[in-house]
Amino acid sequence: MDRRMSARSARPRMRDSTERGIAFIWALLTLGILVIASASTMATAVSHGRLTSHYLGQAQAFFSAETGAAEAIEWLRRNPLPLAPATPADLTQPILSQGSYSVTIAPQGAYYLLTSTGISALTGAQRQVSRTVLVTPQSAGPTRSIDFGIATGI
């Protein structure tokens, strides 16, 4: 009986080589799935990074343009004289590291059209905002100075 057992154990079994082949195929399939999952996760992360950068640039440009429009309204409060279409020198400037803005003021009868263009320092994106402003005298004091009221969004 011992001889039969030793003779059987000495022979290679056919099932063992088949099992090793299947294990190798499963390992390759698992590795392939992990590589594909990793690549798709990386592609998604890169895509989200680009979208975030684009959104941030657009937001910076928009808020730079809004800052320019607010500065132009304040400039009109200080300088209420009739203006020729112009870009006043002090209304074109950078805003720290956020970007810059440029404002044009165009008179249209009693109204002024303010067009402010903001540029993002991050992406170079541009956004533009416009305001229609009516400048009217509100009161004349004893010193004959005139205060101007400004209405936007007309």
Side-chain angles (χ1 to χ4, degrees):
M1 188 105 152
D2 288 332
R3 287 184 181 169
R4 284 187 195 174
M5 289 296 253
S6 61
R8 284 185 185 173
S9 61
R11 280 191 267 164
R13 288 179 31 182
M14 215 39 164
R15 236 179 5 172
D16 284 340
S17 64
T18 305
E19 286 174 2
R20 275 187 265 156
I22 290 175
F24 181 68
I25 290 173
W26 276 111
L28 284 178
L29 282 173
T30 303
L31 184 62
I33 290 170
L34 288 175
V35 166
I36 290 170
S38 297
S40 68
T41 301
M42 187 67 106
T44 302
V46 168
S47 175
H48 282 248
R50 286 183 185 152
L51 285 173
T52 301
S53 176
H54 176 74
Y55 172 76
L56 181 61
Q58 291 292 320
Q60 282 181 345
F62 173 75
F63 287 114
S64 294
E66 285 289 331
T67 300
E71 288 291 325
I73 290 171
E74 194 57 38
W75 189 86
L76 278 174
R77 281 194 177 117
R78 291 188 310 264
N79 304 295
L81 304 173
L83 301 171
T87 301
D90 58 346
L91 292 179
T92 301
Q93 54 187 304
I95 307 171
L96 299 174
S97 64
Q98 302 298 315
S100 62
Y101 62 82
S102 177
V103 180
T104 56
I105 301 173
Q108 296 180 340
Y111 297 93
Y112 292 97
L113 177 64
L114 309 176
T115 305
S116 177
T117 303
I119 302 170
S120 168
L122 179 67
T123 62
Q126 292 187 6
R127 295 288 300 266
Q128 195 171 62
V129 296
S130 296
R131 300 283 186 270
T132 303
V133 178
L134 174 63
V135 179
T136 56
Q138 288 189 349
S139 65
T143 59
R144 297 283 192 205
S145 64
I146 298 176
D147 295 328
F148 285 82
I150 299 204
T152 62
I154 296 172

